[in-house]
Amino acid sequence: MNINLPDYFDAYARDYSLYKGGASCYEDGCLYRGLIMLHEATGEERWFRHLKRLADAQVRPNGELAGYTVDEYNIDNVLPGRAFLYLAGRTGDDRYRKAADLLAKQLETHPRIEAGPHWHKLRYPHQVWLDGLYMALPFKAEYAAAARQSRLAEQALGEMLSALRLTEDKDANLYRHGYDESRQQKWADPATGLSPAHWGRSLGWLAMALVDLIDALPPGASTNQLSARLLSLLLRLQELQLPDGRWLQVIDQPELAGNYAESSATAMLAYAYMKAARLPGLSPALADTGQKALDGLMTNAMIKNADGRTVLGNICCVAGLGGFDGNYRDGTPEYYLTEVLHDDDIKGVAPLMMAYSEFVSAGDAMAGQDRITA
């Protein structure tokens, strides 16, 4: 199927309804990241108009955010702050900067585990999830640059390195979805505090967090440590990539009954590989793996729905750890296969926007142009 991705993205943004009824949330923040990257890569104002229209529905004139309360201490809520920094820089409108300031203030008092990283949420105490590293740390580094607060960049770097040490599964050369400092959760290994499985999207969040954080940090020995960690992860994930270019929901268990190629993890990793290829000290050849993943999504996951509309299929709607909606998510490999799939969920579409933007930025010399219409 020959697909014009810009037209698909334009229609998606045009018809998008704010994910949680208007309350500022990370899902909308994901879309904002995708639109920002499309704007930067193409220079087309339509992407900026979509971004501003949607963000303006959530940012009050005084910089307050719809549906936001700081004392929820939800790390997910921080992600939209990156868009507010972008909008502040592009428009000079102070309300966006005030909104970013509000989220930065949350991080000043957001609870932390003893080793430094923030709790995932107040309702998930003493826990670090890979998802949360993407939600908070690139924002912290970008805010540090905008506010000229270098200590925040140093803080973000230290927190990432600490989180990597805590969540690392050295035997698998991968990272587990969650870590419980208290060892109180049923999903937590009593010795390590780690959750049981390697969830594809959590590794996608981590890879995106690493490439974006490295890009936002000044060069130095500690940043080089992050780059080394990133390269090791990307080389390991190459071994797990399916022949069609995608990655599995439970990323390292192809023999697991019911396991499937999941689109959000694949899109996130496509973006991470292509962006890593242009970071200092990393190999341009990494882009080939990202290109293969993007091609794999185009060929195998872009489908027509019952209404004849092109959609991105095979997206896990949500997955997590511990109590949620009356259920206890035990983090086993089998658990991740029980979660519902939603076509066109923003957690798949936004990373696809990011991956396509990296493709555009790299130029037409990359393979697969016959399936990716500019």
Side-chain angles (χ1 to χ4, degrees):
M1 181 168 59
N2 191 26
I3 299 162
N4 186 300
L5 277 180
D7 285 353
Y8 164 72
F9 295 144
D10 197 33
Y12 186 94
R14 180 196 65 214
D15 298 338
Y16 183 80
S17 297
L18 293 171
Y19 202 92
K20 292 177 178 170
S24 182
C25 61
Y26 84 91
E27 291 91 347
D28 298 336
C30 286
L31 176 59
Y32 298 163
R33 285 298 306 156
L35 294 170
I36 287 168
M37 294 202 63
L38 286 168
H39 184 231
E40 289 180 325
T42 69
E44 295 180 19
E45 284 302 306
R46 58 175 164 168
W47 310 119
F48 187 81
R49 289 194 297 269
H50 284 310
L51 169 66
K52 190 173 186 304
R53 169 179 55 83
L54 292 165
D56 283 353
Q58 296 179 318
V59 182
R60 306 294 184 238
N62 62 357
E64 292 182 359
L65 296 171
Y68 172 84
T69 56
V70 65
D71 56 9
E72 185 181 355
Y73 287 115
N74 181 343
I75 207 76
D76 289 342
N77 289 340
V78 175
L79 179 60
R82 300 178 71 184
F84 304 146
L85 289 172
Y86 188 78
L87 285 163
R90 290 282 175 167
T91 68
D93 190 331
D94 199 44
R95 63 183 167 138
Y96 300 123
R97 180 56 185 269
K98 289 178 180 177
D101 290 343
L102 184 66
L103 297 172
K105 286 184 181 299
Q106 174 185 323
L107 294 178
E108 290 179 6
T109 54
H110 194 113
R112 299 171 178 271
I113 65 169
E114 187 175 342
H118 296 287
W119 291 6
H120 191 64
K121 299 180 184 179
L122 191 63
R123 63 190 296 261
Y124 298 131
H126 307 287
Q127 298 168 42
V128 175
W129 298 7
L130 298 183
D131 326 15
L133 304 179
Y134 179 73
M135 305 303 167
L137 298 186
F139 165 74
K140 188 177 282 193
E142 290 170 4
Y143 185 86
R148 298 182 181 178
Q149 296 183 24
S150 59
R151 65 175 182 83
L152 289 179
E154 294 166 5
Q155 200 178 91
L157 175 58
E159 288 162 14
M160 177 61 87
L161 288 169
S162 177
L164 291 171
R165 288 191 292 269
L166 293 170
T167 58
E168 184 178 17
D169 177 349
K170 291 185 178 179
D171 291 338
N173 195 20
L174 291 169
Y175 297 86
R176 300 288 181 87
H177 184 184
Y179 166 78
D180 176 17
E181 172 187 50
S182 70
R183 314 300 202 265
Q184 296 300 305
Q185 290 298 313
K186 287 185 286 186
W187 54 256
D189 182 282
T192 65
L194 293 175
S195 59
H198 304 113
W199 178 37
R201 187 158 77 220
S202 71
L203 289 161
W205 290 124
L206 175 60
M208 293 203 303
L210 284 167
V211 294
D212 286 2
L213 184 57
I214 291 166
D215 196 30
L217 290 171
S222 295
T223 304
N224 291 342
Q225 288 184 52
L226 282 190
S227 295
R229 286 273 193 172
L230 171 62
L231 180 59
S232 177
L233 174 62
L234 295 180
L235 293 176
R236 172 67 176 119
L237 291 173
Q238 282 179 334
E239 300 171 354
L240 300 174
Q241 191 174 28
L242 299 176
D244 72 7
R246 295 180 291 172
W247 280 273
L248 293 167
Q249 168 78 336
V250 183
I251 205 162
D252 60 338
Q253 296 199 22
E255 75 291 344
L256 180 65
N259 206 357
Y260 60 91
E262 200 278 326
S263 294
S264 67
T266 299
M268 289 177 179
L269 292 173
Y271 164 69
Y273 275 96
M274 286 194 276
K275 183 165 184 176
R278 62 180 179 83
L279 292 176
L282 294 173
S283 171
L286 291 168
D288 294 340
T289 303
Q291 179 66 60
K292 182 179 177 182
L294 185 54
D295 287 347
L297 287 174
M298 297 290 295
T299 302
N300 300 289
M302 301 296 293
I303 58 175
K304 294 282 188 182
N305 67 9
D307 298 324
R309 181 167 182 159
T310 298
V311 296
L312 178 63
N314 271 36
I315 304 171
C316 175
C317 182
V318 68
L321 297 165
F324 178 73
D325 233 8
N327 299 311
Y328 191 86
R329 302 169 296 183
D330 65 7
T332 59
E334 293 76 13
Y335 151 69
Y336 289 103
L337 304 183
T338 67
E339 290 288 4
V340 175
L341 304 181
H342 279 185
D343 291 346
D344 262 1
D345 189 275
I346 190 56
K347 293 179 286 294
V349 177
L352 185 62
M353 290 178 173
M354 299 178 206
Y356 175 76
S357 299
E358 284 293 330
F359 169 82
V360 171
S361 296
D364 294 345
M366 298 176 72
Q369 182 66 24
D370 57 323
R371 286 190 294 278
I372 304 173
T373 306

